[in-house]
Amino acid sequence: MEPETKSEIEETVISILKEADMNEMTEFKVRKIASEKLGFDLSSNPEHKKFVRSVVESFLLSQQPELEPEPETTKQVEQVVEEEEEEEEEEEETKPSVAGKEYDDDGNLIICSLSNKRRVTIQDFKGRTLVSIREYYEKDGKQLPSNKGPYNV
C-alpha cells in the first residue's frame, strides 16, 4: 500500500473515531464511513481491512486511560460483539494481526485488563471465537481462572 494512501486512510479513520459515539461504533461502520469519504472500498481489500483494524486498535489503546468501567459495560460489550458478528458475516473472514499482542498461558489473546484480577480475552472454542470477561487469581506465579467467569459476550 502506498504511504500516501496509508496516511490518508489513517487520518480519515482517526477523524471518524474522534467524532464517534464509541458505544455505537464498530470497525465495520468505521470502514464503511471511511470508504464513503475516501471514494474507495476498504472492506474488499484484506490489506486495507487489516490496516483499518490496526488504526482502530491503536486509537482505542490510546484512549484506554480515559475509559472508566461502567455498570453496564458487559451489556455494552455484548451488544457491540453481536453487531460486529452480524456485520462481519457479510464479509470474508480474515485473522487479525497478532504482532505485539499479549497472550495468556492458554494462548488466548488478552484485549485489556480491567483490573489486576479481571481481563477481557478472545479465545477459540469448538470453532467459535468467544470474547470473555473473567476473574483470575495468582498461584505459584501463574494467573489461573477463578470460578467467577467467564462472562461470555
Side-chain angles (χ1 to χ4, degrees):
M1 186 180 337
E2 297 286 325
E4 293 174 9
T5 305
K6 272 188 165 183
S7 177
E8 191 176 1
I9 292 171
E10 184 173 14
E11 289 173 14
T12 303
V13 168
I14 289 173
S15 72
I16 292 166
L17 291 170
K18 284 182 178 178
E19 298 172 9
D21 176 359
M22 297 311 286
N23 292 324
E24 299 293 325
M25 188 56 67
T26 64
E27 182 184 331
F28 176 78
K29 289 178 183 177
V30 170
R31 277 197 316 269
K32 187 175 180 182
I33 295 168
S35 293
E36 291 169 1
K37 286 185 176 187
L38 295 168
F40 58 91
D41 188 12
L42 294 172
S43 293
S44 62
N45 182 329
E47 184 179 7
H48 289 156
K49 283 177 70 173
K50 187 175 179 181
F51 182 68
V52 169
R53 177 170 286 152
S54 70
V55 173
V56 170
E57 287 176 350
S58 296
F59 178 84
L60 292 174
L61 289 174
S62 72
Q63 301 298 309
Q64 191 172 6
E66 297 175 15
L67 299 177
E68 293 183 21
E70 297 177 5
E72 295 187 18
T73 301
T74 303
K75 286 183 180 179
Q76 291 169 351
V77 170
E78 181 177 334
Q79 180 182 4
V80 169
V81 169
E82 286 176 5
E83 290 173 359
E84 190 73 26
E85 287 176 350
E86 291 171 6
E87 292 166 348
E88 290 292 327
E89 286 176 3
E90 300 171 1
E91 300 180 33
E92 180 180 326
E93 291 183 15
T94 60
K95 293 282 184 183
S97 172
V98 292
K101 303 292 182 190
E102 184 180 357
Y103 292 87
D104 65 12
D105 294 336
D106 295 325
N108 301 322
L109 176 61
I110 300 173
I111 299 299
C112 69
S113 295
L114 301 175
S115 68
N116 288 341
K117 295 182 178 184
R118 187 177 285 179
R119 57 177 110 137
V120 179
T121 60
I122 294 180
Q123 63 189 68
D124 287 324
F125 181 73
K126 294 186 179 180
R128 294 192 51 132
T129 301
L130 303 175
V131 176
S132 58
I133 301 170
R134 184 168 199 127
E135 288 191 18
Y136 289 79
Y137 67 96
E138 191 168 330
K139 182 177 181 181
D140 300 328
K142 288 188 175 186
Q143 291 286 324
L144 300 172
S146 72
N147 291 336
K148 296 182 180 179
Y151 306 103
N152 291 321
V153 290

